Amino acid sequence: MIHSINGKTKVLAVIGNPIEHSLSPQIHNTLCKELGLNYVYVPFKVETAFLEEAVKGFKAAGMLGFNVTIPHKQNIMPYLDEITPEAELMEAVNTVKISEGRLIGYNTDGIGFIRSLKANDVDVKEKKVVIIGAGGASRGIAVKMALEGAAEIIILNRTLEKAQEISHVINSKIKKIAKADHMNQEILFHYANNCDIFINTTPIGMYPHENDCPIEDMNFLTENTVVCDLIYNPKKTVFLKKAEEKGCKIINGWGMLLYQAIEAFEIWTGITVNKGIIDLLYNIN
Ligand code: NAP
């Protein structure tokens, strides 16, 4: 429950459309409560046609900052005063800080994923990574893993051009370590049977289609591969179950969601969230 609201309460928010199912209010209001901060975090459903007005209103109202989710992660960029180089590379903003009347755009999805790997004792430095899917989430984590020193990043996707676009950004703006290809069983075997980290960024297997799996035969996996799914509902997708059967370490998307929120909260408040609170948040889902 939200702590008491009074004349000194500061406001944080998330904007998107739809927004009703967002878990961010629960995560951030728990953070505010546990840290004893007189802040409140509210969801706002904002239609694309009113995005500019909403952003101006947040600034005029003296808010600390807000999160941005689908469908506004790209649309918001022209309305900001500054965008971090990382968010520019990812071509998406999910966090805005309002500081001295300036709107500064960040992207915490990539670092959220990296922090969830670290929480599971997985480091991306010098690792060979294979990613399936080439949407917004794929771009965010692929760019961040390249910046964090991955040795090789292979992006496989149904629509080849989208995978090529991400690999081009990495190769031209960060380091020549990325490749793109089609996503099929033969190609998967070729790239993924000896990779270090294998990640599903497609929505296949997400509730209510939890019996689906993006890959039929996952026997190419060996126990040396860490297998991640960005999906967190269900907690263990068929994709992760198949990997677990092969003896792989598995990581679902809940940690990424949590850490992208914590990272945003730390940007707004300057507070480093302690491990006790992170552990508590891990269990609210
Ligand atoms: P997106 O931009 O719509 O991209 C989806 C990708 O999946 C596209 O590359 C698409 O291929 C591919 N795909 C979709 N359906 C497919 C199918 N039936 N067969 C083959 N490929 C298919 O979505 P997104 O924003 O990147 O999100 C992707 C997933 O990550 C979702 O499940 C989302 O909930 C999850 N996510 C989790 C977090 C977290 O914090 N844990 C954060 C962000 C996203 P095409 O390019 O060919 O269309």
Side-chain angles (χ1 to χ4, degrees), residues 89-147:
L89 286 173
M90 294 170 182
E91 265 184 11
V93 161
N94 78 334
T95 300
V96 177
K97 179 177 180 168
I98 307 175
S99 176
E100 294 170 359
R102 283 175 61 76
L103 296 153
I104 307 163
Y106 299 79
N107 191 313
T108 65
D109 281 334
I111 184 69
F113 181 69
I114 298 290
R115 285 182 69 173
S116 86
L117 290 183
K118 284 194 178 145
N120 284 281
D121 298 317
V122 178
D123 191 356
V124 297
K125 237 181 172 41
E126 299 302 326
K127 299 285 163 52
K128 177 178 173 182
V129 181
V130 177
I131 302 174
I132 58 169
S138 170
R139 181 171 178 138
I141 65 169
V143 162
K144 188 63 184 172
M145 285 190 290
L147 292 168

Side-chain angles (χ1 to χ4, degrees), residues 260-273:
Q260 63 75 30
I262 290 168
E263 192 74 24
F265 195 84
E266 291 177 343
I267 288 169
W268 295 321
T269 64
I271 293 169
T272 302
V273 178

